[in-house]
Structures are given as C-alpha cells and as structure tokens.
Amino acid sequence: MTGKKEKASEKREKRLQEISLLRTIPYSDHQRWWSEETIAVVTGANRGIGFEIAKQLAGHGLTVILTSRDTSVGIEAAKVLQEGGFNVDVHQLDILHEESISEFTKWIKEKYDGVDILVNNAGVNYNLVSGNSMEYAKQMIETNYFGTKNMIKAMIPLMRPSAAGARIVNVSSRLGKLNGRRSRIEDEALREKLSNLETLSEEQIDNMVSTFLQQVEADTWQSGGWPQKFTDYAVSKLAVNLYSMLMAKQLSERPEGEKIYINCYCPGWVRTAMTSWSGNVSAEHAADTGVWLALLPNEAVTGKLFAERRELKV
C-alpha cells in the first residue's frame, strides 16, 4: 500500500512539474482571443483558489471582477492585486441569496455591459480528512450546487457574444463522479439514469439532491447507496458536474458567435483554509487548470470534467 502511495505521489509531483513548465510558455498572439476589455468574474475570490485564479487571469491582461461574501475582506483582497498593477474590480456577492445575485447582476450590467468569463469558485466543505458528518449537508448542497446553478442562470443572459465564445468554469471535484473509486453511486438504476445525457434533466438532478437531503434528515442516508466518504460534498459536486454537462448540451445549440462553453475542474486537495491547510497542492497550482479552461484558444471544449489539464469521466 505504501509503495502505491509513493508511486501516486511521484506521479502527481511529475505532473505538477509539467504544468509549471507549461505555465511558463506564453500564449501566442493568435491564441490570445482576450484583451483588457475582456471581463472575468470570479466568485469567492478573496482568498485561496479563487484569489489565485483572479490573480492569474488578471496577469494575462484581463479585467477581473473579484467577488466576496464579506465586502471589507473583498476590498482588501482586491487592493493587494491592484497594488500589484492588476486590473481588478470588486463587488460583494453571496451566492446563497438571490437578492445578492440580483444586485450583483444589475451592477455588472450597468458598469460593464456584460461578462465574458464566469468562474464559479465559491463553495464550502465542512468535512476534513476523516470526518463524514452530515450536520451541514443542507448548507453544502445549497451553496455548492444551488448557489452555483443560480449564478450560471443569472450570468448567462449577460455573457457577451464573441467569435471565441464565452466561458463558464466551475470549480468542482473528482469526488463528484457517478462511478468513482471513492465516490461511487451504488444505486445502479439512479446511476444509469443520471449517466444518460440524452434524457438527463435539471429536475432529475434536483430530485437526486432532494432525496439525499431527505435521507439525511431521516438518518437513512448510509443505506441509500451514496458515497461513503465526504458524502455531502461528493453529492453536491456530482450535482454541479451533471448540471454543467446538461447546460453544455443546451448551450451548444446556440448559433456561432453566441456560444458559451462550460466545464468543471478538480483543483485537488489544496493547502487552503477549506482544508485547514492540510492539502498537498498549492493554490497557485490548483488555480492553473481553471485559468487554462477559461482561456482555451479557439477550442470548443464543453461539458467536461478536468484535473491537472486532463479530462476525467464523470
């Protein structure tokens, strides 16, 4: 077992080194579809992965809107980037509250007349390392799934037409897989239903998380066929991954020049406050795939889940 862990660690470290090298290669002029007029919104960007995504996008010359649930914390985070010469604006946003989303949407429409990139980074995880309490399952689902979904719905009408297409990137997890090694949905009928993209619907995804929360309330979730590790987090991220696949299918029907590409990615176990700094990946590395997906040049990649710039199967 130790040998397997060492090999996995070596493999991950080698891939991180490869990504570090890739990040040193600048985008060519013909790859750069963006400019300082390109507007990127990053939610939950006052610290951790979100802050690093905002920093890297701004470093590529985009205008970044840093959002934070806490206004004063967001202003301080934006100030750090502004003092570094980055073009960063800031606004309060709590994705749990529709009025906050509505106010943000109105502000960005009036000030910027739309957006080009949305990075849904805001999220929560209350179970660390070995814990698997369901105490905060409802808040986990409401934030990670419904909050993300509500942001997508609010921002799609504001996404500006372009030849390169607008981009939505959802920070998710490889734990949100139907048939994952550590996060398998044991209910075969449910797994088959959710894996059929031709018939998948928003109602089915909502029903899945509703059933899960009902079983949590009744304390029967352990026999419900749900993942047995990081259960509520895994279910919330599975919902995000499935909804992204569903939206990718719907958005692909838009005409050329009005395309919106939506993808998810797993940043890994990151050294941030969310993991009590116990992770094995830096925020800088964790942000890379999200930034890469946001800036993909002229490639119609959509409805996928990635980790370390590689596609994973949901």
Side-chain angles (χ1 to χ4, degrees):
M1 184 63 73
T2 303
K4 286 185 178 180
K5 285 186 177 180
E6 288 178 350
K7 286 183 179 179
S9 179
E10 289 175 2
K11 186 177 179 181
R12 182 179 63 250
E13 185 58 35
K14 182 180 179 181
R15 182 56 184 166
L16 292 177
Q17 290 175 1
E18 290 173 353
I19 291 173
S20 293
L21 178 60
L22 289 171
R23 292 216 331 264
T24 65
I25 303 172
Y27 286 92
S28 63
D29 289 342
H30 79 274
Q31 290 177 314
R32 292 175 63 92
W33 57 268
W34 64 90
S35 70
E36 63 179 11
E37 303 299 320
T38 304
I39 308 298
V41 171
V42 184
T43 68
N46 54 285
R47 66 179 185 179
I49 301 170
F51 180 83
E52 188 61 37
I53 289 174
K55 179 181 178 182
Q56 290 186 26
L57 286 174
H60 283 291
L62 289 77
T63 296
V64 176
I65 314 301
L66 181 155
T67 77
S68 171
R69 185 173 55 185
D70 186 308
T71 302
S72 60
V73 173
I75 290 172
E76 288 302 312
K79 190 181 296 183
V80 171
L81 296 178
Q82 290 162 352
E83 290 175 351
F86 297 120
N87 193 8
V88 174
D89 204 345
V90 60
H91 197 278
Q92 191 277 337
L93 175 64
D94 186 343
I95 65 170
L96 273 176
H97 295 101
E98 290 185 13
E99 61 270 23
S100 180
I101 294 177
S102 178
E103 182 183 334
F104 174 73
T105 303
K106 181 181 178 182
W107 172 81
I108 205 159
K109 173 65 175 174
E110 291 177 350
K111 186 166 184 178
Y112 292 100
D113 195 35
V115 300
D116 304 286
I117 296 170
L118 168 64
V119 180
N120 283 307
N121 167 74
V124 294
N125 181 16
Y126 296 100
N127 285 312
L128 301 176
V129 190
S130 60
N132 199 31
S133 166
M134 293 298 109
E135 182 179 358
Y136 299 106
K138 189 172 186 291
Q139 188 171 349
M140 188 93 73
I141 296 294
E142 287 181 346
T143 305
N144 294 353
Y145 172 52
F146 287 107
T148 296
K149 182 170 76 165
N150 290 340
M151 273 302 294
I152 291 171
K153 288 186 173 184
M155 299 305 287
I156 281 178
L158 297 184
M159 304 204 90
R160 301 190 291 199
S162 72
R167 317 293 172 90
I168 299 174
V169 178
N170 298 320
V171 180
S172 189
S173 173
R174 69 177 74 220
L175 290 173
K177 297 172 66 176
L178 288 167
N179 206 15
R181 184 168 55 88
R182 293 188 298 165
S183 56
R184 178 183 171 87
I185 297 293
E186 297 294 344
D187 184 331
E188 186 175 349
L190 177 62
R191 194 169 66 241
E192 289 184 2
K193 181 193 296 185
L194 296 174
S195 63
N196 188 343
L197 188 56
E198 293 303 313
T199 59
L200 182 66
S201 67
E202 183 178 346
E203 183 181 12
Q204 288 178 338
I205 303 170
D206 288 355
N207 286 343
M208 176 193 72
V209 298
S210 176
T211 298
F212 169 67
L213 290 176
Q214 288 170 10
Q215 292 182 9
V216 168
E217 185 70 22
D219 199 25
T220 59
W221 67 270
Q222 288 179 308
S223 59
W226 307 105
Q228 295 299 303
K229 290 187 177 181
F230 304 103
T231 307
D232 49 3
Y233 184 76
V235 172
S236 74
K237 292 303 188 180
L238 172 59
V240 169
N241 292 340
L242 291 172
Y243 183 71
S244 300
M245 292 166 62
L246 175 65
M247 289 306 299
K249 180 185 175 186
Q250 294 178 4
L251 293 170
S252 68
E253 298 170 1
R254 295 168 72 103
E256 291 298 326
E258 297 180 19
K259 297 290 189 184
I260 300 175
Y261 304 118
I262 177 169
N263 292 288
C264 298
Y265 90 99
C266 174
W269 190 245
V270 189
R271 287 192 298 274
T272 62
M274 184 180 284
T275 64
S276 294
W277 310 102
S278 64
N280 53 22
V281 178
S282 70
E284 181 182 8
H285 279 300
D288 173 79
T289 299
V291 173
W292 173 71
L293 284 170
L295 300 181
L296 275 178
N298 300 321
E299 292 183 40
V301 177
T302 192
K304 308 294 184 182
L305 170 66
F306 289 84
E308 297 171 355
R309 299 197 184 192
R310 289 173 174 165
E311 184 182 341
L312 304 177
K313 184 178 180 181
V314 174

